Amino acid sequence: MSPMARTAPVPAATDPAIIRNFCIIAHIDHGKSTLADRMLQLTGAVEQRDMKAQYLDRMDIERERGITIKSQAVRLPWEVDGTSYALNMIDTPGHVDFTYEVSRSLAACEGAILLVDAAQGIEAQTLANLYLAMENNLTIIPVLNKIDLPAAQPEKYAAELASLIGGEPEDVLMVSGKTGVGVEALMDKIVRDLPAPTGDPDAPARAMIFDSVYDTYRGVVTYVRVVDGKLSPRERIQMMSTRASHELLEIGVSSPEPKPSKGLGVGEVGYLITGVKDVRQSKVGDTVTNLHKPAAESLGGYEDPKPMVFSGLYPLDGTDYPVLRDALAKFTLNDAALVYEPETSAALGFGFRVGFLGLLHLEITRERLEREYNLDLISTAPNVEYDVTLEDKRVLKVTNPSEYPMGKIAEVREPMVSATILAPSEFVGAIMELCQQRRGVLGGMDYLSEDRVEIRYRLPLAEIVFDFFDLLKSKTRGYGSLDWKADGDQVSDLVKVDILLQGEQVDAFSAITHRDKAYAYGVMMTGKLRELIPRQQFEVPIQAAIGARIIARESIRAIRKDVLAKCYGGDITRKRKLLEKQKEGKKRMKMVGRVEVPQEAFIAALSSDESKDKAKK
Amino acid sequence: MPSALPLGLPAPEDGILPTDAAVGADARDFGLYVHIPFCAVRCGYCDFNTYTATELGGGASQDAYAGSVLTELGLGAVALERSGVPRRPMSTVFFGGGTPTLLPAEDLAAILRAATATWGLEPGAEVTTEANPDSVTPESLRILRDAGFTRVSFGMQSAVPHVLAVLDRTHAPERVPQAVQWARDAGLKVSLDLIYGTPGESIDDWRASLTTALSYGPDHISAYALIIEEGTRLASQIRRGQVPPIDDDDHADKYALADELLTAGGLHWYEVSNWARTPDDACRHNLAYWRGSDWWGAGPGAHSHVGGTRWWNVKHPRAYSTALDTGKSPAAGREILTTADRYVEDVMLRVRLREGLPTGKLAPAGRTAVAGLIADGLVEPAAAFAGRVVLTFRGRLLADAVVRRLLPD
């Protein structure tokens, strides 16, 4: 049995040979937090009595409130054969939209623990991150967790993992984060199997930023992995992508509470505080160097976060607009990927067009805005960014159907993704049908085990942003999982479908779709509106049109009766009050030409809730 | 009268009105409404303030009821006098319910006599009672005629048994012509109330009800679309899917049929839901409501209106009799109408009438709206040029929408 380290190596004076940097690749409920808990406990990083207070859960709540230094990287001491090692556990964001952040976390490590639930097998996002780790030449330690569960099938999934990473099923470690079984063996294996970091201690300093977090009290806390040289307190550092320089007010390691140190040397992982207030000044993937003795070349791999999905966010109550504006400004302090600009809709009033990394990012952001700022928001149907080339060769970036040009268009390009879907093999037919309907092109298919397949498709991003994941889940009885990453663009036969009420175009309902799907969209939206818009004193035609060509048509029949039959002495007060109420109600109506459209109709027509409900059923 | 009372200001115990109420009273008609809150059975569609005999007792019983009303009339006369409202003889009296004829005819006669003694009755005044076809006899109708009643309004509702059954009406359809004949023999004018759009009623059922009603030769017919009021048994049956919901298009078709057949039968519309054989046969009491006249409403839940002050009595007969026993006004609340309120009510009510709303009464925004209403076929152009807003047939079916357009802000 390995004892906890008697003397922990001191930061800034640690030989790279005794450092091991690793991350845990795992799906969301496969037990990463519980395993991390056990590691904190075993290494003595957290005292036994504090452990009872569920250390990481406390961190989670703090993380939600956005006031803490997250457990982005924890330094754990561990002793093997009489030598004390410093193990840095680096956290990876857990969901599909943050592929780039994951890639930077992986780039900070020499090895990765592939943690898979022994009752469920590997999921698509885990597989995608595993491939990413393998591309980065990380050493992989395969681990099956929750082996204490009655439903665990360790042999089956060990074979699956072995075939994925090219080892033997016997090499797969069996652990239980819950009971602690196998965790010490895992710690030992990390020390023995993972390579130590290498770097030039005498070269100009180079450290890679793998995360940065805004903290209300301390400003931005930046997490780095030092590759070459050394970073010390009070020196002036420079961000190599922006050339901006800052003073290093504090430098240290998390273990897991922040502990200032005399610096960070080659291979070490820790945090920097410079007093900046916006995570955009400390970008994930950027290289930190010394201002006066700068490195000639950055570590590379830096990319600006690129919003992929755009949606209009509008407060239900127009007077909440300033609250939404302030909330978005605060959110961007801690979310470098979030971009927004003011937008006005004839139908919905004042709001913002917001760009997100993906649909999940959109949903999380919207949910947090509503919860933390007590807002009721309408989000318009999500759009991707189209490159529209006009006949005069001008190129427009279109993220909102209302910006789609009227005139002659030479070409429209739409963003593509490569998607990986993992599911039990019985659902292959259903998945292929879904992807085919969504204009997907099959890239390949592999069996992970006898009854589990990996299916790869290239799909237009626009086809997966709305309800694709929900449909995938419902078609695979919840077993299917999806991962995607951007994969260039392609020219497509796209058109803008407008919706007209009594001949008047309604901006909020326009959509950019593939020509083959324009009709289906037109029929769906005109049908929905016929149900949602109350009858008026005149017949209201609802049309869907591409340019001047009508492709679908519905009509709302004129209301024929709108009169209270009885109005005698005892009815007058009630009737007058009803009239006043109707007048108030009319103020909440949006006028489209002569047609009164209730606010609720806009919300219902634009929300994706319906498709979600369908998927749930 | 719907059972839910409005929210208003508290009403003073002595019933004294604000001074404004007396202004111009001499030029306004004065009427009396007497509410009789009793029914033999409670109908599934009805949300009126009414009770079956077994639901009440003590001071609220049917036996003691006339006495309570007489007390209210006495207090009312004093309150009006002390408020400076001049004493005016009644132009119209209306006994509604409930089923007024569940009280002995002598009780109704006694209330009318007492009211006449208090305020006086104009020569040629209209005195109506509502009646259930099976709660009258030749004798009771004669007693009413002798006491001064001039008109009886029977709740016929439908001639079709399965429709009557959905409405919980217990009278036998063949009882109606008999009751009409007795009323005629007694020298009373006759009106029939009909309801259309009952769940399960076909257009032919409705046609049958209309032709049957016309065959009895009434002077007046009221035809109401069935309104599903919250809290009624019918509303919960519809909610549970036991009875099909109301369809406005069906109502529109049936209204069109009613207007066609009643007009062909020699009756003419004078209000959205009312048709009369001659102008003299129109219900003058109801016209007084629509023209903004003054009236005293006696009985639990009854509404009154005098010179821009409207009040309503406590709803329950026991609370009503208790207030009166202690010498207090039974009013539960009141509202003092602002100039704007009175304008809204004037437009809202007068536009329902065949005589129409004088365009001179409209504010500029309302006058501007008239052209659009003519263009949309909702208002008669000729009448409008002659200075009155009169609804077309289509306009009658959309009268509430017309009102909203005449009151744009």
Side-chain angles (χ1 to χ4, degrees), chain A residues 9 17 40 49 60 117 138 146 172 196-197 246 264 290 331 333 359 362 366 382 393 426 473 477 573-574:
Chain A
L40 290 174
R49 62 166 190 281
D60 276 341
D117 186 326
L138 264 58
K146 306 193 192 180
V172 177
H246 309 284
L264 293 173
N290 183 293
F331 269 37
L333 291 179
L359 202 59
L362 185 166
R366 183 198 147 142
K393 302 288 176 230
E426 57 182 300
K473 279 282 175 200
R477 280 193 264 123
T573 301
R574 183 163 85 145

Side-chain angles (χ1 to χ4, degrees), chain B residues 43-356:
Chain B
C43 299
Y45 65 93
C46 177
D47 81 327
F48 286 11
N49 190 26
T50 182
Y51 303 84
T52 58
T54 51
E55 289 172 335
L56 296 166
S61 71
Q62 294 186 14
D63 296 344
Y65 185 70
S68 297
V69 173
L70 295 187
T71 309
E72 186 188 351
L73 296 181
L75 282 176
V78 172
L80 285 182
E81 197 178 327
R82 287 178 51 201
S83 305
V85 179
R87 210 177 74 118
R88 293 160 289 170
M90 301 177 292
S91 314
T92 61
V93 181
F94 195 103
F95 287 68
T99 308
T101 46
L102 271 190
L103 286 191
E106 288 81 5
D107 282 9
L108 301 181
I111 293 170
L112 178 58
R113 264 197 308 276
T116 306
T118 307
W119 286 302
L121 193 63
E122 265 187 6
E126 174 194 276
V127 182
T128 307
T129 184
E130 290 180 343
N132 205 333
D134 53 10
S135 68
V136 294
T137 62
E139 294 71 37
S140 68
L141 290 164
R142 245 190 327 270
I143 292 168
L144 294 176
R145 172 66 234 181
D146 292 346
F149 283 78
T150 63
R151 192 172 175 272
V152 60
S153 172
F154 287 113
M156 170 178 169
Q157 319 311 6
S158 171
V160 181
H162 75 87
V163 175
L164 289 170
V166 172
L167 295 173
D168 291 326
R169 299 300 289 204
T170 52
H171 68 260
E174 56 275 16
R175 187 71 195 253
V176 180
Q178 203 177 19
V180 171
Q181 193 52 51
W182 292 339
R184 292 220 165 285
D185 292 347
L188 295 163
K189 283 191 176 186
V190 173
S191 176
L192 298 174
D193 277 2
L194 296 174
I195 290 179
Y196 60 89
T198 301
E201 180 192 60
S202 70
I203 190 86
D204 285 334
D205 289 338
W206 176 232
R207 188 190 308 276
S209 293
L210 287 164
T211 50
T212 305
L214 282 168
S215 74
Y216 302 153
D219 307 289
H220 182 282
I221 285 181
S222 302
Y224 304 116
L226 180 66
I227 301 170
I228 305 298
E229 299 285 359
E230 272 314 302
T232 60
R233 189 164 40 196
L234 199 53
S236 61
Q237 285 169 335
I238 289 173
R239 206 165 41 241
R240 288 198 298 267
Q242 293 161 340
V243 163
I246 294 299
D247 175 11
D248 278 349
D249 288 350
D250 175 60
H251 279 187
D253 289 339
K254 286 174 178 166
Y255 184 82
L257 185 63
D259 195 53
E260 179 195 326
L261 294 185
L262 295 177
T263 306
L267 272 65
H268 308 282
W269 81 279
Y270 69 97
E271 193 263 355
V272 168
S273 300
N274 288 281
W275 288 260
R277 198 162 292 282
T278 70
D280 281 348
D281 295 323
C283 178
R284 286 167 53 200
H285 184 81
N286 288 340
L287 282 169
Y289 292 143
W290 298 319
R291 289 169 179 159
S293 301
D294 291 352
W295 77 89
W296 190 281
H303 287 228
S304 302
H305 172 256
V306 174
T309 296
R310 184 174 294 119
W311 69 95
W312 42 89
N313 286 348
V314 291
K315 194 179 138 189
H316 200 277
R318 190 166 301 120
Y320 171 75
S321 62
T322 305
L324 289 167
D325 287 348
T326 54
K328 289 176 192 155
S329 159
R334 72 178 189 184
E335 60 177 354
I336 297 163
L337 301 173
T338 63
T339 310
D341 291 338
R342 295 181 82 167
Y343 171 65
V344 167
E345 289 189 359
D346 220 22
V347 171
M348 176 180 101
L349 298 171
R350 283 181 190 266
V351 102
R352 295 170 69 94
L353 298 173
R354 172 68 184 85
E355 68 190 25

Side-chain angles (χ1 to χ4, degrees), chain A residues 416-432:
Chain A
M416 301 295 290
V417 299
S418 58
T420 306
I421 296 165
L422 297 195
S425 47
E426 57 182 300
F427 300 116
V428 166
I431 293 167
M432 289 177 73

